[in-house]
Amino acid sequence: MRRASFTSSILSRTLSTVHDGGTVNLHPRLLRVALFSSSRTDNSNSRRHWFSPLLNSFSKSSGQAVSLGLVGVVASVATAASVYAKEPPPAEIIPKDVVLYQYEACPFCNKVKAFLDYYDIPYKVVEVNPISKKEIKWSDYKKVPILMVDGQQLVDSSAIIDQLSEKILPGKAIISVADEDEETKWRRWVDNHLVHVLSPNIYRNTSEALESFDYITSNGNFSFTEKITVKYAGAAAMYFVSKNLKKKYNITDERAALYEATETWVDALNGRNFLGGSKPNLADLAVFGVLRPIRYLRSGRDMVEHTRIGEWYSRMEKVVGESSRIKA
């Protein structure tokens, strides 16, 4: 009876408001934790593997051909390097003490992490227990992400990124709603559309819901009892909640909606490596951030297999690189 009561208590407490300033009342608190599961990716540099064979082939040609060939190779490498090179801000303007209060699987938290990682801003992570939220008891703001930057509290993922941009990218103007540019338009599209098609996909059926919660309970901040309860009760709850989300956002076919959204993004690139051109802008980082947690779930694997987003995503993995997270 006590276990049943505990399970009921957790589920009743989780069926509440959405995080990061959202307004969807039917989202459970678990949605804030569990919208998507996260996965580490290996970033490898394969240029050295193809550079040597090119030189070997050139050695069979005349001296002039070798010279011309080397010029071409160097130009190609330089071009590739300029595409994937980061541009860290000057050390003197990088914040010294950055702490992110997050849920590991939260898409909005991953947006912020993508920004921090790309700009090589070191940060510490505090994983928040989504049930007790004891880690953020000190804050009047009870949602995630919360970012503490040199003692200043920043909240709401898009606002956090805007404020950080002003600090470390002083030459970048924040465009008003009345005069929004391409970057701002697509950042809003991420928050208002893309994130809403993800939850119905990762909780599309019971097996996919369990796949998501298996990661969440393994990496989230839960007690042993909470892990067991949340994995099975949470997966079951989110399976049914996702059906309501489909109705709310007029989604009839989960995968079709996901594929359409990703193809819309690829169309927006219009042949460019990134929306920002030769390097990512804030919209690129936003799309990558919210997709990164689902990339190696069944829904993410299907997305890459059935749409054209794979090449852009691989470029983003390379340029964002390793996490700037500071190990505790």
Side-chain angles (χ1 to χ4, degrees):
M1 177 65 71
R2 179 174 297 179
R3 179 175 297 176
S5 176
F6 178 73
T7 301
S8 176
S9 174
I10 288 180
L11 290 179
S12 65
R13 293 179 65 187
T14 59
L15 295 174
S16 59
T17 57
V18 71
H19 71 304
D20 199 45
T23 58
V24 184
N25 293 329
L26 55 82
H27 275 236
R29 184 178 296 167
L30 285 175
L31 181 55
R32 296 185 303 210
V33 191
L35 275 174
F36 325 104
S37 86
S38 177
S39 175
R40 297 284 181 194
T41 58
D42 294 323
N43 297 293
S44 60
N45 186 346
S46 61
R47 294 186 190 117
R48 63 189 179 200
H49 297 299
W50 55 260
F51 191 79
S52 295
L54 282 175
L55 290 180
N56 291 337
S57 67
F58 289 142
S59 67
K60 300 177 182 178
S61 306
S62 66
Q64 183 178 7
V66 170
S67 299
L68 293 174
L70 284 174
V71 169
V73 171
V74 171
S76 297
V77 172
T79 300
S82 67
V83 169
Y84 296 130
K86 293 187 179 186
E87 296 187 53
E92 61 270 18
I93 65 174
I94 293 180
K96 302 299 186 290
D97 184 21
V98 180
V99 182
L100 175 64
Y101 293 82
Q102 65 150 28
Y103 303 141
E104 179 66 24
C106 161
F108 297 102
C109 299
N110 275 277
K111 275 174 56 184
V112 174
K113 287 193 289 188
F115 180 93
L116 296 172
D117 292 341
Y118 178 68
Y119 286 107
D120 284 336
I121 301 174
Y123 61 98
K124 298 175 184 177
V125 165
V126 175
E127 189 70 18
V128 176
N129 182 302
I131 299 171
S132 67
K133 293 191 174 182
K134 60 183 179 181
E135 294 79 10
I136 54 174
K137 291 288 188 185
W138 52 269
S139 174
D140 292 334
Y141 188 81
K142 300 304 180 183
K143 303 171 184 178
V144 296
I146 296 174
L147 193 72
M148 295 298 298
V149 180
D150 293 334
Q152 178 185 5
Q153 177 180 280
L154 307 181
V155 299
D156 185 289
S157 63
S158 292
I160 288 171
I161 291 169
D162 285 343
Q163 290 170 280
L164 280 178
S165 295
E166 291 178 342
K167 289 178 179 292
I168 69 169
L169 306 172
K172 182 177 179 61
I174 303 301
I175 307 299
S176 67
V177 176
D179 188 32
E180 72 175 16
D181 61 359
E182 182 183 41
E183 178 185 64
T184 305
K185 168 189 171 183
W186 288 101
R187 289 180 66 196
R188 293 183 184 280
W189 174 81
V190 171
D191 292 342
N192 297 331
H193 179 70
L194 182 59
V195 293
H196 298 313
V197 305
L198 300 183
S199 182
N201 272 278
I202 66 172
Y203 303 117
R204 182 175 64 150
N205 51 47
T206 55
S207 65
E208 290 188 60
L210 283 171
E211 177 191 33
S212 298
F213 272 88
D214 184 58
Y215 172 82
I216 291 160
T217 54
S218 297
N219 293 274
N221 186 3
F222 297 98
S223 69
F224 176 76
T225 305
E226 289 170 345
K227 284 183 179 181
I228 297 174
T229 304
V230 169
K231 178 177 179 179
Y232 294 99
M238 287 308 302
Y239 169 73
F240 290 107
V241 168
S242 69
K243 305 305 177 186
N244 290 329
L245 294 175
K246 286 178 60 178
K247 182 177 181 180
K248 180 176 181 62
Y249 295 110
N250 299 314
I251 297 172
T252 55
D253 183 317
E254 303 94 331
R255 284 296 195 265
L258 177 61
Y259 299 162
E260 181 181 7
T262 51
E263 288 290 349
T264 297
W265 171 247
V266 175
D267 286 341
L269 297 176
N270 195 27
R272 293 170 288 183
N273 284 322
F274 307 103
L275 192 75
S278 62
K279 60 182 182 291
N281 63 16
L282 297 183
D284 288 289
L285 293 172
V287 176
F288 178 72
V290 301
L291 291 181
R292 184 157 57 171
I294 77 162
R295 169 61 183 91
Y296 296 98
L297 292 178
R298 173 63 184 275
S299 55
R301 296 194 300 270
D302 286 351
M303 174 186 71
V304 171
E305 180 180 352
H306 295 286
T307 73
R308 298 170 293 156
I309 202 169
E311 291 185 4
W312 171 86
Y313 190 92
S314 294
R315 287 193 292 270
M316 288 298 298
E317 282 186 313
K318 291 177 182 178
V319 75
V320 171
E322 297 291 340
S323 174
S324 301
R325 177 186 302 191
I326 301 171
K327 293 184 179 179

